[in-house]
Amino acid sequence: MAAWGERLAGVRGVLLDISGVLYDGGEGGGAAIAGSVEAVARLKRSRLKVRFCTNESQKSRADLVGLLRRLGFDVSEGEVTAPAPAACLILKQRGLRPHLLVHDGVRSEFDQIDTSNPNCVVIADAGEGFSYQNMNKAFQVLMELENPVLFSLGKGRYYKETSGLMLDVGPYMKALEYACGIEAEVVGKPSPEFFKSALQEMGVEAHEAQR
């Protein structure tokens, strides 16, 4: 306990991942990882600020929080930093209109974004939406642009569900990068800007946080 106390000396906040740390997704919403509900509750009872930082891009924040609550976690939508809302902020700031290759479960996050006459592409973990037709359409949009811009909500290679390992958005991002000769802008982990935004929302400095 003393060693743990020393490790947390000067720490004011904790960033927690969600998928694969708090729960494993799957049929019926998945299952909480043993001890995770109690660990979150204990952190929230402490003096530490807690924020949930996720690359989840198949669900809206509202749906994700609803799932976590059903699994027993004490979490609110305002405590979650996710890539889709962060991407929307970037799109608005830069006046970009995306072609979306995303999962239907997260599409509502982009309801206030103009998607007409796209001048960039946003891809996320689209699951079954990663068909040849959809990937080729994203490729065509990028190739028709004078200055193609590709945003990827995370760049993970794979993740774990209760049924086994699943391909993440990273391999599809790499395919578009290779085909178009461009480099994607990653919104989400491991982007330093994504972590910085989570820290700002939590009100702590980088040296005061543990993840």
Side-chain angles (χ1 to χ4, degrees):
M1 292 296 292
W4 183 245
E6 291 173 4
R7 185 178 180 185
L8 290 178
V11 173
R12 294 178 51 223
V14 177
L15 292 177
L16 293 176
D17 198 350
I18 296 179
S19 180
V21 174
L22 301 185
Y23 86 106
D24 286 328
E27 287 190 24
I33 293 172
S36 58
V37 173
E38 295 79 7
V40 169
R42 184 176 179 183
L43 282 170
K44 287 205 160 190
R45 289 194 300 268
S46 74
R47 60 176 176 78
L48 299 172
K49 296 182 179 182
V50 178
R51 189 159 190 87
F52 303 87
C53 194
T54 180
N55 268 2
E56 173 61 64
S57 62
Q58 285 198 352
K59 301 179 184 68
S60 67
R61 276 193 300 182
D63 288 345
L64 176 60
V65 166
L67 168 62
L68 292 173
R69 285 176 175 169
R70 289 193 296 275
L71 294 176
F73 293 98
D74 175 16
V75 57
S76 66
E77 190 173 340
E79 294 175 306
V80 177
T81 297
C88 289
L89 181 60
I90 293 171
L91 294 169
K92 290 177 180 178
Q93 289 173 339
R94 292 167 57 175
L96 294 172
R97 303 177 304 277
H99 169 79
L100 298 172
L101 177 46
V102 302
H103 195 279
D104 286 345
V106 80
R107 194 171 290 272
S108 63
E109 296 278 19
F110 296 89
D111 281 349
Q112 303 304 312
I113 299 295
D114 182 5
T115 57
S116 63
N117 190 25
N119 55 6
C120 70
V121 168
V122 173
I123 65 167
D125 179 11
E128 297 296 329
F130 279 131
S131 64
Y132 174 81
Q133 180 180 3
N134 290 342
M135 282 289 289
N136 198 54
K137 177 59 179 178
F139 163 73
Q140 290 173 338
V141 170
L142 289 167
M143 292 298 286
E144 290 170 0
L145 296 173
E146 183 177 351
N147 297 301
V149 178
L150 171 63
F151 293 101
S152 181
L153 305 193
K155 64 173 187 179
R157 295 179 295 166
Y158 59 86
Y159 55 91
K160 181 184 177 184
E161 289 196 345
T162 53
S163 60
L165 298 179
M166 312 292 287
L167 275 177
D168 204 345
V169 66
Y172 301 96
M173 176 196 81
K174 288 295 185 183
L176 289 174
E177 284 184 329
Y178 178 69
C180 300
I182 60 175
E183 184 174 347
E185 297 183 37
V186 177
V187 182
K189 300 176 297 179
S191 166
E193 294 303 317
F194 188 66
F195 286 115
K196 286 178 184 177
S197 69
L199 292 173
Q200 289 170 355
E201 290 165 340
M202 196 162 50
V204 303
E205 299 295 328
H207 67 276
E208 298 174 318
Q210 183 78 26
R211 65 179 179 91

